């Protein structure tokens, strides 16, 4: 279910959004919807940002790797406290690990799909 919402934008902002929408090949409505969704997620998870890449937009840690990478690394560690073990390596801080795991707890399907995509692409590359 969706709800229509009316929003007033000043001329300059509206034009900038139209230009970005056109450049990305999307509608202004789709751009605004994405901005609203990502903005709400950023408010809920302040250490998370969103970035474009060859496989589309994805959640990432500000100043760090993608969320799916951190979650995958934690899942691959076999210890009593894999989050602490990963943080001890120095690639990401414990705060970043916790932020990635908190995001994954709310959006588990999104993160699982990214991990699966990575694993399938890696397997495909090995067969070439």
């Amino acid at each position: 279910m969706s709800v229509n919402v009316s929003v007033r934008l000043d001329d300059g902002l509206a034009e900038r959004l139209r230009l970005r929408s056109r450049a990305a090949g999307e509608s202004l409505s789709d751009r605004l919807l994405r901005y609203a969704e990502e903005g709400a997620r950023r408010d809920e998870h302040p250490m998370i940002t969103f970035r474009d890449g060859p496989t589309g937009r994805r959640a990432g840690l500000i100043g760090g790797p993608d969320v799916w990478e951190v979650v995958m690394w934690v899942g691959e560690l076999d210890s009593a406290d894999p989050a602490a073990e990963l943080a001890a390596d120095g690639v990401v801080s414990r705060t970043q690990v916790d932020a990635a795991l908190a995001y994954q707890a709310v959006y588990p399907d999104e993160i699982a799909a990214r991990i699966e995509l990575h694993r399938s692409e890696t397997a495909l590359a090995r067969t070439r």
Side-chain angles (χ1 to χ4, degrees):
M1 182 176 191
S2 64
V3 176
N4 284 329
V5 177
S6 177
V7 178
R8 287 194 179 278
L9 304 173
D10 69 50
D11 291 340
L13 176 57
E15 184 56 28
R16 290 189 347 248
L17 290 170
R18 279 189 201 96
L19 287 171
R20 287 182 176 273
S21 298
R22 270 185 256 140
E26 64 186 359
S27 71
L28 177 59
S29 179
D30 287 343
R31 174 63 57 135
L32 289 170
L33 180 61
R34 180 169 61 81
Y35 281 175
E37 177 64 32
E38 289 178 2
R41 289 184 186 203
R42 283 186 184 111
D43 285 349
E44 296 160 1
H45 303 274
M47 293 185 69
I48 302 299
T49 190
F50 296 88
R51 43 180 82 112
D52 289 315
T55 60
R57 287 190 68 80
R58 68 233 186 259
L61 290 165
I62 294 174
D66 290 347
V67 170
W68 69 265
E69 291 175 297
V70 175
V71 171
M72 183 181 70
W73 296 335
V74 167
E76 291 174 347
L77 294 172
D78 188 27
S79 70
D81 190 353
E85 183 180 341
L86 179 60
D89 284 346
V91 174
V92 289
S93 69
R94 180 60 192 250
T95 303
Q96 288 176 309
V97 174
D98 291 343
L101 294 175
Y103 183 89
Q104 185 252 349
V106 179
Y107 304 102
D109 295 341
E110 173 186 324
I111 301 307
R114 285 279 167 194
I115 292 170
E116 179 55 34
L117 176 63
H118 167 74
R119 289 184 173 148
S120 65
E121 291 289 321
T122 300
L124 182 62
R126 287 185 182 143
T127 62
R128 291 183 183 161

